[in-house]
C-alpha cells in the first residue's frame, strides 16, 4: 500500500498497483495460511488483474526446516482470443460479456470456498467444466467468474438455457451459422457461433439431445486436434441438476461426452447446506426490497432459526421471490417464526420443514 502512495509512481502506475492490491485481497487467506503453516506445499490458481488473466503460484520459503515466508509468482496467461480480436470486439459490443468476478461471489461456508478455489484453478484450463447443483444455485455467477479469470476474458461470453427448449430446435439454437431474417448480424446466429474464441455457458446439460451432444463433442475434439471441421474455438461450461452418469447408464447421455465433461467438476452445495450464506442472502434481499417498497422490517432471532429449517430447494431464486412477497404482503413490522412459517406454507404447501 505504501507503494501505491509513493511519489515515484505516476497515476497510471498507481492505479495499476491499487488494482493489484485489490485483487490480492481476494485470494483466500486460509489457503495462504496453509502454505505458511506447511500444510500445503504449493498453491496454483487464477487471478484477474485489470483486463488480463494471470496464473498465480505460491510456494513456502523454508530455511533450516522453518517456514519464514512465501514467494508469489504471476504468469500472464496467453490471450486465446487474440486471433479473433475484431470478431470478439463485435460480440462484446452486442452485450455478450460477463460481469461477475470471484470477489463478488459471497460465501462464509467452507465447502463453498473450496468450490470457488477449485473454479479459480479450473479457469487456467481450456477444458470444459461441469457444475452440479440444485435449481437456483450460483452456477451462472461461477461460470462468469471463470470466464473473467481465463485467457478468454477478452472474448465473448454467451449463455443459453436448454431447460424447456424444444428438442428439435436445440441444434439450430446452438449451431445456426446464418442469422434468421428478423435479426441482423451476430444476434440471430447460434450460441456456439456467438461464443467463438470465448466461453459458452450451457444451463441444463441433462436436457441436450444425443444428436446435439455428439455435435458439441465433435466440435470440441476437432479443436483439440487442430482440425478445422467446424472452425469453432469455444470453451464450454455446463450445469446440471442430475447426475449425468445415471443418464449414461440409461442410454440418454453420450458416454464419451460424459467423460470429457467429468474431468473438471464442481458440486455447489445448496443454501440449506450453507446456513451462514442463507442468512446473508436473506438479509440482503430483505434490505433491497425494503428500500424498494419503503417498508422496513425487523427479523427476530426466532425468525432466523425458522429460516434455516425451511427447505430452500430453489435456493437464491426461491429466496428472492419469497423475500419480495414477504416485504410486500406482511402487515407486521417485526417478522418472527410464525410469520415466516405461515407465508412459506401458503407459497410452497408441498415442501416440508427440515428436521
Amino acid at each position: 500500500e505504501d507503494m501505491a502512495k509513493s511519489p515515484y509512481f505516476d497515476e497510471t502506475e498507481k492505479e495499476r498497483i491499487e488494482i493489484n492490491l485489490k485483487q490480492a485481497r481476494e485470494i483466500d487467506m486460509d489457503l495462504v495460511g496453509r502454505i505458511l503453516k506447511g500444510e500445503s506445499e504449493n498453491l496454483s490458481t487464477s487471478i484477474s488483474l485489470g483486463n488480463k488473466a494471470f496464473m498465480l503460484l505460491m510456494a513456502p520459503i523454508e530455511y533450516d526446516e522453518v517456514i519464514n515466508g512465501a514467494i508469489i509468482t504471476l504468469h500472464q496467461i496467453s490471450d486465446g482470443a487474440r486471433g479473433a480480436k475484431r470478431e470478439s470486439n463485435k460480440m462484446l459490443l452486442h452485450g455478450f460479456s460477463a460481469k461477475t468476478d470471484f470477489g463478488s461471489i459471497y460465501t462464509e461456508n467452507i465447502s463453498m470456498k473450496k468450490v470457488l478455489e477449485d473454479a479459480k484453478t479450473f479457469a487456467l484450463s481450456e477444458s470444459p467444466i461441469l457444475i452440479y447443483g440444485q435449481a437456483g444455485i450460483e452456477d451462472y455467477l461461477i461460470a462468469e467468474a471463470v470466464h473473467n479469470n481465463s485467457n478468454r476474458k477478452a472474448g465473448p461470453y454467451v449463455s443459453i438455457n436448454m431447460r424447456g427448449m424444444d428438442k428439435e430446435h436445440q441444434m439450430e439454437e446452438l449451431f445456426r451459422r446464418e442469422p434468421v431474417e428478423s435479426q441482423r448480424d451476430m444476434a440471430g446466429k447460434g450460441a456456439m457461433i456467438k461464443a467463438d474464441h470465448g466461453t459458452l455457458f450451457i444451463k441444463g446439460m441433462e436436457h441436450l439431445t444425443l444428436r446435439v451432444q455428439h455435435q458439441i463433442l465433435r466440435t470440441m475434439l476437432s479443436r483439440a486436434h487442430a482440425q478445422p471441421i467446424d472452425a469453432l474455438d469455444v470453451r464450454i461450461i455446463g450445469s446440471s441438476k442430475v447426475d449425468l452418469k445415471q443418464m449414461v447408464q440409461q442410454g440418454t447421455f453420450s458416454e464419451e461426452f460424459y467423460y470429457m465433461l467429468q474431468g473438471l467438476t464442481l458440486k455447489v452445495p445448496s443454501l440449506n447446506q450453507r446456513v451462514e450464506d442463507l442468512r446473508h442472502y436473506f438479509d440482503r434481499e430483505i434490505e433491497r426490497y425494503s428500500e424498494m417498497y419503503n417498508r422496513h422490517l425487523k427479523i427476530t432471532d426466532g425468525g432466523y432459526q425458522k429460516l434455516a429449517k425451511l427447505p430452500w430447494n430453489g435456493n437464491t431464486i426461491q429466496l428472492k421471490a419469497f423475500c419480495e412477497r414477504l416485504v410486500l404482503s406482511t402487515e407486521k413490522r417485526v417478522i418472527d417464526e410464525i410469520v415466516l412459517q405461515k407465508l412459506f406454507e401458503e407459497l410452497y404447501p408441498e415442501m416440508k420443514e427440515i428436521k
Side-chain angles (χ1 to χ4, degrees), residues 132 242-253 258:
Y132 282 113
V242 303
D243 186 350
L244 298 183
K245 181 62 176 177
Q246 296 179 1
M247 296 184 63
V248 171
Q249 295 169 347
Q250 297 166 0
T252 56
F253 204 88
Y258 166 78

Side-chain angles (χ1 to χ4, degrees), residues 33-305:
R34 280 161 47 191
I35 292 285
L36 297 176
K37 292 176 183 177
E39 297 174 0
S40 295
E41 294 184 356
N42 59 71
L43 165 67
S44 62
T45 187
S46 62
I47 190 169
S48 176
L49 302 178
N51 292 320
K52 301 292 183 181
F54 292 82
M55 174 168 50
L56 182 147
L57 304 175
M58 179 182 292
I61 299 174
E62 191 171 346
Y63 182 75
D64 286 342
E65 299 184 351
V66 176
I67 297 175
N68 51 23
I71 185 168
I72 297 176
T73 306
L74 289 176
H75 296 278
Q76 185 174 336
I77 303 173
S78 61
D79 186 358
R82 186 179 300 156
K85 188 174 182 180
R86 181 181 300 176
E87 202 64 27
S88 296
N89 288 342
K90 186 188 299 183
M91 293 303 298
L92 294 175
L93 288 173
H94 279 89
F96 295 103
S97 61
K99 297 179 174 59
T100 305
D101 56 37
F102 283 108
S104 61
I105 303 177
Y106 175 88
T107 186
E108 291 295 333
N109 179 266
I110 294 177
S111 297
M112 188 62 175
K113 285 183 178 181
K114 179 62 167 61
V115 169
L116 296 180
E117 283 305 318
D118 286 345
K120 290 179 185 178
T121 303
F122 294 171
L124 299 172
S125 172
E126 284 286 284
S127 299
I129 296 175
L130 181 59
I131 305 173
Y132 282 113
Q134 293 181 344
I137 59 168
E138 301 94 324
D139 53 356
Y140 64 100
L141 296 179
I142 294 173
E144 288 190 5
V146 167
H147 173 79
N148 282 331
N149 263 44
S150 74
N151 68 331
R152 295 175 178 271
K153 179 177 182 177
Y157 175 85
V158 180
S159 64
I160 186 169
N161 193 339
M162 308 310 297
R163 293 167 187 162
M165 185 181 295
D166 293 339
K167 292 183 177 181
E168 57 269 23
H169 292 152
Q170 287 187 10
M171 185 68 76
E172 184 180 4
E173 290 299 320
L174 284 167
F175 289 97
R176 182 175 56 236
R177 287 187 173 273
E178 296 300 326
V180 295
E181 293 181 1
S182 60
Q183 294 175 300
R184 295 181 179 180
D185 202 23
M186 296 297 292
K189 293 190 176 182
M192 288 285 287
I193 315 303
K194 294 174 184 175
D196 196 18
H197 300 287
T199 302
L200 174 62
F201 174 50
I202 303 177
K203 191 175 183 71
M205 296 288 284
E206 68 271 28
H207 296 286
L208 292 173
T209 65
L210 282 170
R211 179 172 172 241
V212 170
Q213 293 169 33
H214 287 300
Q215 182 62 27
I216 296 175
L217 177 64
R218 177 173 177 263
T219 303
M220 294 168 64
L221 289 175
S222 68
R223 188 195 75 184
H225 295 95
Q227 298 175 3
I229 295 176
D230 295 286
L232 290 176
D233 178 19
V234 181
R235 202 266 180 90
I236 300 291
I237 302 177
S239 71
S240 175
K241 293 195 298 182
V242 303
D243 186 350
L244 298 183
K245 181 62 176 177
Q246 296 179 1
M247 296 184 63
V248 171
Q249 295 169 347
Q250 297 166 0
T252 56
F253 204 88
S254 163
E255 186 173 16
E256 287 183 322
F257 193 33
Y258 166 78
Y259 285 117
M260 176 169 279
L261 294 171
Q262 193 66 16
L264 304 180
T265 56
L266 300 168
K267 295 184 178 180
V268 180
S270 67
L271 276 183
N272 281 120
Q273 296 172 309
R274 298 150 47 197
V275 179
E276 55 274 76
D277 292 354
L278 173 59
R279 177 163 177 168
H280 166 81
Y281 283 121
F282 178 78
D283 285 343
R284 188 184 71 179
E285 296 305 322
I286 289 295
E287 180 180 0
R288 183 163 73 95
Y289 287 119
S290 292
E291 291 180 359
M292 184 182 299
Y293 300 117
N294 197 27
R295 304 190 67 187
H296 300 284
L297 309 179
K298 177 179 176 56
I299 314 300
T300 66
D301 290 340
Y304 282 119
Q305 292 174 14

Side-chain angles (χ1 to χ4, degrees), residues 301-310 312 337 340-341 353:
D301 290 340
Y304 282 119
Q305 292 174 14
K306 173 61 66 175
L307 178 73
K309 294 179 180 180
L310 297 172
W312 301 101
E337 62 272 27
L340 289 180
Q341 181 73 48
E353 184 175 314

